Amino acid sequence: MSSCRSGNVLLIFVAIFVYLAATAETQAMGIEAATRAVSIRDVMISRFESLPATATLDEAAQALLRTTQHEFPIVDDGGRLRGVLTRSGLVAGLQQRGGQAPVIEAMVANIPVVRDYEKLIKALEPLKRGAAPAVGVVDAKGRLVGYVIIENIGELILLRSAVAS
């Protein structure tokens, strides 16, 4: 009798696992479909404060306190993306290097960029992999005009599901 019960319990766990896996796969397909249909321009963060590559970590800390941003694009004099300083990178940089250290010493470099006319799907893969904290959005001259973080995609899905309900 106990082996029959443990077999039933095992089958229930397998069924729950299969259901959860199928639900996750369906959600992933929905996210991918949504990102194929949406222009990156419609989802990107376009009102943001960037920091020059010459800024210090103290200046970045002041920007963190006066804005709601958790990440700051670091740009050169031509407005081209050099990297992104995250909140955790800022804190670690302050602890390890001090406030007078340049932001470029604490930023994440090699941030992927996409053109401003592309679909959101182009930004999805590096964000899903966690390869970068953000994807930069650039214009035809390579200047930063916005950026996308994984939260943008989550908000898009949340809003679409609210409208569909």
Side-chain angles (χ1 to χ4, degrees):
M1 186 69 129
S2 71
S3 69
C4 184
R5 279 189 198 159
S6 65
N8 288 340
V9 170
L10 182 60
L11 285 174
I12 291 170
F13 281 124
V14 169
I16 291 171
F17 177 76
V18 169
Y19 171 77
L20 292 175
T23 301
E25 181 67 24
T26 301
Q27 286 177 338
M29 288 171 45
I31 290 170
E32 201 165 302
T35 58
R36 283 186 200 284
V38 173
S39 170
I40 199 153
R41 208 175 247 294
D42 295 333
V43 180
M44 72 180 187
I45 296 169
S46 58
R47 293 184 188 158
F48 60 92
E49 187 169 329
S50 60
L51 297 171
T54 57
T56 65
L57 292 176
D58 277 342
E59 291 168 323
Q62 291 168 7
L64 180 70
L65 293 174
R66 77 171 168 266
T67 69
T68 59
Q69 287 176 234
H70 292 170
E71 59 285 314
F72 293 89
I74 308 301
V75 296
D76 64 16
D77 291 338
R80 288 176 296 279
L81 184 64
R82 297 272 315 268
V84 170
L85 179 65
T86 62
R87 180 173 51 185
S88 61
L90 171 60
V91 171
L94 287 168
Q95 289 172 337
Q96 297 165 7
R97 295 177 177 87
Q100 292 308 304
V103 292
I104 58 172
E105 290 182 9
M107 73 180 187
V108 177
N110 301 318
I111 299 296
V113 295
V114 297
R115 291 289 305 274
D116 57 354
Y117 61 79
E118 296 190 270
K119 297 294 184 190
L120 183 57
I121 188 78
K122 288 282 209 170
L124 180 62
E125 193 54 39
L127 291 173
K128 274 190 347 187
R129 282 190 322 232
V135 172
V137 181
V138 297
D139 65 12
K141 294 184 179 180
R143 293 177 301 215
L144 185 71
V145 294
Y147 65 96
V148 177
I149 55 177
I150 197 71
E151 286 82 4
N152 292 98
I153 297 172
E155 288 165 347
L156 169 70
I157 301 305
L158 179 69
L159 293 172
R160 285 192 165 212
S161 65
V163 171
S165 298

